[in-house]
């Protein structure tokens, strides 16, 4: 069901139809975005730049939580200083990431690295929630400590690990071996390549040859 909806976005939304009612190839909004080299590259470039801003500001806080940098600066001071940049970076990441996904949604959804990226993003989000709800509850007690308590250090270490894995998985999305183009057994199973292929077969019947 999800694959069919994504195929609707990728192949039908905004597409022109020929006299017989079939989809004219590469005329959907998704296809036009993907084939628009300058616009797509601008979006991708902005995505990477804002990723550096977002991940970089988080890294400042995480290194302080680990007690390996900025040890004489209160945790709250660092966190409050970078928060506007973190939030701004996250909003820009969300917007540009959504646009990149829209350019090729069916293929991204059935990409092993993309699915791994979603798992790591969820883990990173849960770690943020745990930090703000549980760990940070008594921050005034250790805000000025050069070495924060174990739970704070664990949150910082988990954050660094998860965001590294998010970036790592995102980088590997571009490789063919994690897609359904020529999948191995693991990729085929995890990425649900059988569903991907069945969806493409249905779409091919609607596209003018």
């Amino acid at each position: 069901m999800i694959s069919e909806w994504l195929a609707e976005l990728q192949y039908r939304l905004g597409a022109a139809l020929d006299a017989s009612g079939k989809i004219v190839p590469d005329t959907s909004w998704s296809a036009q975005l993907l084939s628009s080299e300058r616009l797509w590259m601008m979006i991708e470039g902005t995505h990477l730049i804002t990723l550096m801003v977002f991940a970089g500001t988080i890294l400042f806080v995480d290194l302080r939580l680990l007690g390996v940098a900025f040890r004489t600066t209160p945790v709250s001071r660092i966190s409050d200083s970078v928060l506007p940049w973190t939030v701004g970076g996250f909003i820009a990441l969300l917007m540009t990431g959504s646009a990149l996904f829209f350019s090729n949604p069916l293929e991204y959804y059935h990409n092993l690295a993309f699915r791994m990226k979603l798992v790591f993003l969820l883990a990173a989000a849960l770690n943020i929630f745990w930090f703000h709800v549980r760990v940070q509850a008594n921050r005034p007690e250790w805000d000025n400590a050069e070495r924060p308590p174990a739970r704070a250090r664990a949150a910082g270490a988990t954050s660094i690990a998860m965001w590294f894995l998010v970036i790592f998985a995102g980088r590997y999305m571009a490789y063919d071996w994690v897609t359904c183009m020529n999948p191995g057994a693991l990729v085929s199973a995890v990425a649900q390549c059988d569903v991907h292929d069945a969806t493409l077969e249905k779409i091919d019947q609607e596209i003018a040859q």
Side-chain angles (χ1 to χ4, degrees):
M1 181 176 180
I2 295 177
S3 293
E4 292 181 3
W5 179 71
L6 293 175
E8 180 81 23
L9 287 180
Q10 183 165 334
Y11 294 98
R12 299 190 187 100
L13 187 64
L17 302 179
D18 66 7
S20 64
K22 287 195 171 185
I23 299 171
V24 178
D26 302 325
T27 58
S28 69
W29 292 339
S30 177
Q32 291 182 57
L33 174 58
L34 185 61
S35 62
S36 177
E37 183 176 345
R38 290 185 180 179
L39 177 58
W40 196 91
M41 291 295 290
M42 285 177 61
I43 295 173
E44 184 183 39
T46 303
H47 187 70
L48 293 175
I49 291 171
T50 52
L51 173 62
M52 288 188 290
V53 173
F54 176 74
T57 54
I58 288 180
L59 183 61
F60 280 130
V61 179
D62 291 338
L63 291 176
R64 177 62 183 93
L65 289 175
L66 288 171
V68 299
F70 317 111
R71 301 179 70 177
T72 60
T73 306
V75 174
S76 59
R77 182 177 177 184
I78 294 177
S79 179
D80 293 345
S81 296
V82 302
L83 183 60
W85 293 95
T86 305
V87 173
F90 174 76
I91 293 173
L93 272 179
L94 186 62
M95 294 174 62
T96 54
S98 297
L100 291 174
F101 179 78
F102 176 72
S103 71
N104 206 10
L106 182 64
E107 300 305 321
Y108 282 138
Y109 178 68
H110 290 283
N111 182 305
L112 174 62
F114 177 76
R115 295 191 170 198
M116 292 172 61
K117 182 177 179 178
L118 291 182
V119 171
F120 298 140
L121 277 170
L122 177 60
L126 290 174
N127 182 62
I128 292 172
F129 176 79
W130 178 69
F131 175 77
H132 284 284
V133 173
R134 299 296 300 273
V135 179
Q136 196 172 236
N138 64 338
R139 189 176 67 180
E141 299 177 9
W142 48 267
D143 195 26
N144 293 303
E146 291 189 6
R147 182 177 171 84
R151 289 201 305 177
R153 298 198 305 274
T158 302
S159 176
I160 290 176
M162 289 304 102
W163 289 115
F164 171 81
L165 290 172
V166 166
I167 295 171
F168 182 83
R171 177 64 184 87
Y172 272 84
M173 284 170 55
Y175 290 89
D176 290 343
W177 67 271
V178 296
T179 71
C180 292
M181 183 177 296
N182 187 25
L186 177 62
V187 173
S188 182
V190 177
Q192 296 178 295
C193 290
D194 55 338
V195 177
H196 168 271
D197 295 343
T199 303
L200 280 184
E201 285 182 15
K202 293 176 63 176
I203 287 293
D204 284 343
Q205 298 172 9
E206 303 179 35
I207 297 178
Q209 302 298 323

